[in-house]
Amino acid sequence: GESVGLHLPTLSVQEGDNSIINCAYSNSASDYFIWYKQESGKGPQFIIDIRSNMDKRQGQRVTVLLNKTVKHLSLQIAATQPGDSAVYFCAEAKGNTNAGKSTFGDGTTLTVKP
Amino acid sequence: KAGVTQTPRYLIKTRGQQVTLSCSPISGHRSVSWYQQTPGQGLQFLFEYFSETQRNKGNFPGRFSGRQFSNSRSEMNVSTLELGDSALYLCASRAGAAWGNSPLHFGNGTRLTVT
């Protein structure tokens, strides 16, 4: 599908800084969006999700922003820590029963420098 | 509550062989999905099972199949293995449709190497 917005495959930040990871999704009909974190040797781990009737959702140190007009999703991590170093994936799903069939983005590798 | 458990952790097989991978979902989760992860293609959806029925299927050849048992445990099978099947196979469970959209909870995967 068409890609809009800036997606970086890698991101390097200083410990304590804020991180912003961007994702362009492809299906305008998608109504459920999820961010996952994958550490080396492990499966993806759920971070935060957002439904299409919202444009912002906050968790502990993380915020997800959704812009449906340009099909763009972002994950903000406040006060980034070395333990945040991982690959981050956005995922999209359509319909109430289809989150099991999520479509994943390419992933962004976040490196936190001490 | 125990997480998603996948066995075995590593497998080495030869071209032409078949393989069966196993997944035990989180207790109470009735939906199990399988994904293939490779460096080139990323995370690709294989199929999803809910209450022993295949609910969704991805774009993989018929050599890839799966099933789910009455206790929600799931297996996937790949027949006539090809070199390109080398990948990390991830299983994920979720609470299911009755609870609306909910995120996937992944196991740590089975690393399959085909030689």
Side-chain angles (χ1 to χ4, degrees), chain B residues 37-66:
Chain B
Q37 186 174 29
T38 60
Q41 298 298 316
L43 278 149
Q44 300 284 314
F45 172 75
L46 281 156
F47 26 67
E48 180 192 11
Y49 287 86
F50 181 80
S51 293
E52 301 179 65
T53 301
Q54 187 178 86
R55 184 158 68 180
N56 286 300
K57 189 177 190 304
N59 296 323
F60 279 81
R63 300 185 297 107
F64 291 81
S65 63

Side-chain angles (χ1 to χ4, degrees), chain B residues 10-14 81 83 85-87 111-115:
Chain B
Y10 301 93
L11 263 179
I12 300 176
K13 290 286 188 179
T14 304
L81 284 165
L83 294 178
D85 297 333
S86 295
R111 173 73 62 184
L112 173 65
T113 302
V114 182
T115 62

